[in-house]
Amino acid sequence: SQKIEQNSEALNIQEGKTATLTCNYTNYSPAYLQWYRQDPGRGPVFLLLIRENEKEKRKERLKVTFDTTLKQSLFHITASQPADSATYLCALSGNTPLVFGKGTRLSVIA
Amino acid sequence: GAGVSQSPRYKVAKRGQDVALRCDPISGHVSLFWYQQALGQGPEFLTYFQNEAQLDKSGLPSDRFFAERPEGSVSTLKIQRTQQEDSAVYLCASSLLLAAKETQYFGPGTRLLVL
C-alpha cells in the first residue's frame, strides 16, 4: 500500500536558521507533490505544489525539491521566524485523491 | 469571497447517537472532499464529490458513514450509531475543478468527541 513518511514528528530550530523537512514515499508514483501548513485548531493551508518533472520550486522564503528517483521531497524555510511554527504536511496526488503524511511539527525558537 | 465553512465546530455525542456535520464550500467550486484527522495524524481521505455526484467513497470506514451533496454545493457527512473510534476532526475541502494539480481549500474542521 502507499506509504508516506515525514522525517520527524517534531523539529526545533533557532530563529534565522533554515528549517529542512523531509517527505519520503513508497509504492506510489505521484504526478504532483504538495505541501500544506496546519496551525492548531485550523484546517491545512496550501503552500506549494511541485510537479514530477520539476526539480525545484521557490516561493518567497520557501523552497521545495522533488526527487522521483529517491522518492523524496525536501521542504526548506530560510531565515525562519517564530511565526513559521506550525505543522507541515506533505501530500501526494495523481490518479487518486490526496494522500497526506502525518506531518512534522516545527518550532522556531527566538 | 468567504472560505470553506463547517458547522458545528465542536460536537460531543453519546455512543450510539447519530450526528450530521455540514460543509459550505467556496462558491463555484466543483469538487468537495471529506477527510478524517485523528490526533497527531495527517488527514485521511473519506470521500469526494464532483458537483452532486459522489465519485469516490472508498475511504469511508464503515457503512455507518454517509455523505451527500444533493444540489452540488453544501455537503453533509452523517455518522450513524457513533462509536468512540469515530472521535476525530472531520475536515472538508473544496477545489475549483477536479484535477490532481488543483489546490484544495480546507475548512476549520468539526471536532467530534464520542463519549
Side-chain angles (χ1 to χ4, degrees), chain A residues 10-75:
Chain A
L11 180 65
N12 298 326
I13 64 165
Q14 274 204 304
E15 182 177 9
K17 301 292 186 183
T18 296
T20 298
L21 284 64
T22 305
C23 177
N24 295 292
Y25 59 93
T26 56
N27 298 328
Y28 199 73
S29 295
Y32 305 92
L33 191 143
Q34 304 184 27
W35 284 89
Y36 287 76
R37 169 183 172 144
Q38 187 172 26
D39 290 281
R42 310 188 80 157
V45 174
F46 172 80
L47 296 174
L48 280 169
L49 176 148
I50 187 165
R51 293 170 170 75
E52 61 179 340
N53 60 354
E54 295 178 315
K55 296 291 185 187
E56 180 180 299
K57 184 163 267 190
R58 293 174 185 260
K59 178 182 176 183
E60 297 172 353
R61 295 184 295 110
L62 308 180
K63 184 178 85 171
V64 172
T65 62
F66 193 10
D67 188 326
T68 55
T69 301
L70 290 178
K71 294 187 181 291
Q72 181 182 80
S73 174
L74 299 178
F75 178 79

Side-chain angles (χ1 to χ4, degrees), chain B residues 62-114:
Chain B
S62 78
D63 58 7
R64 296 186 295 104
F65 287 70
F66 172 76
E68 60 183 5
R69 194 186 185 199
E71 296 178 359
S73 55
V74 171
S75 177
T76 303
L77 176 67
K78 297 179 179 177
I79 310 174
Q80 297 176 323
R81 304 181 303 281
T82 52
Q83 303 293 316
Q84 287 185 320
E85 62 262 28
D86 300 334
S87 296
V89 174
Y90 291 85
L91 294 164
C92 174
S94 69
S95 65
L96 184 59
L97 299 171
L98 181 64
K101 65 179 181 178
E102 289 290 318
T103 298
Q104 293 190 17
Y105 297 86
F106 283 81
T110 294
R111 185 175 298 274
L112 173 65
L113 178 61
V114 182

